[in-house]
Amino acid sequence: MISSYNPADEGSLRVSKSSFMTYKMCPRQFYWRYIADIPRVPPTEEMIRGVAIHNVMERGLLDGADVLMEAAEEEGVADDDGVDSLNLLLHQIAHDMGGLEVVEAEVKHEVYEELNGQPIVWVGLIDGVLKHPETGKLILVELKTGNMSMSKLGRTRKELVYYTRLLRKLDYEDVSHFLYISPDYEYDVEDKLILEGNKRGKTMWIGAEKGFALLEPFRERSYKLFEESLYDTIESLTSQQWPMNWNDYFCPMWCDFSLDCEAELNGIKEWDMNE
């Protein structure tokens, strides 16, 4: 099967935020998901809900927070408590920032680049791009359903650095802040995530019963570290290296392909990328 994500196929290699982060997390999972001829797993209820809530936020950003509940009705999630917390968070953020100047929401971007002789098409679909009221620069918005944690925040930060690089290639204005929105976050006074709001330059919002949002300055250092890892990652991907990054907790819990890897680890099945 020909895949634009497969470096062995002719033409430009397509790299999205999701595929890039998947390869960074586990090259073997990247192979199973984007290259091997394996039928996709049907969307779960959590995935369907996540898409609906993303659509609700898109409407809220583009048409104003006042239409958010109307959009929730149309998406069939009006009774979802995550929508209630999202609604409250967006109103809090808009109030504290003097309104939301929206540049775009859910716009798909593609940009061509040659990296070490490899033609690449970078792809990105950013949840939201706002104009910061003080810096006049851009705020990249990322909505995450499900609970939030320090590790998930770190992964999401890398995703937004990916988008920052993409927008720089497209000659957008500079990015000055990242805004993370987690409507499903369950408040815990002992959670280290709560301490993020006390750090210099960061602003945190907490919902009435659940929900978390954090605005933090973009750090050029994060960009430089991302650039350094980018070249190594693309070099490994284009040389078709698919090693397994097995984790006893994460893999059986979250990866659709864990049974294949588990069989290999137990000596039941030999690895063959051509099977």
Side-chain angles (χ1 to χ4, degrees), residues 19-32:
S19 68
F20 181 81
M21 295 302 295
T22 298
Y23 189 88
K24 291 279 290 182
M25 180 174 60
C26 180
R28 185 70 64 84
Q29 187 185 101
F30 178 96
Y31 174 81
W32 291 126

Side-chain angles (χ1 to χ4, degrees), residues 222-247:
S222 298
Y223 188 90
K224 291 179 180 178
L225 291 173
F226 179 85
E227 279 276 289
E228 292 173 3
S229 68
L230 175 69
Y231 292 93
D232 292 337
T233 301
I234 295 300
E235 182 178 353
S236 297
L237 196 162
T238 54
S239 61
Q240 302 180 58
Q241 298 180 29
W242 320 118
M244 179 198 311
N245 290 340
W246 180 264
N247 180 287

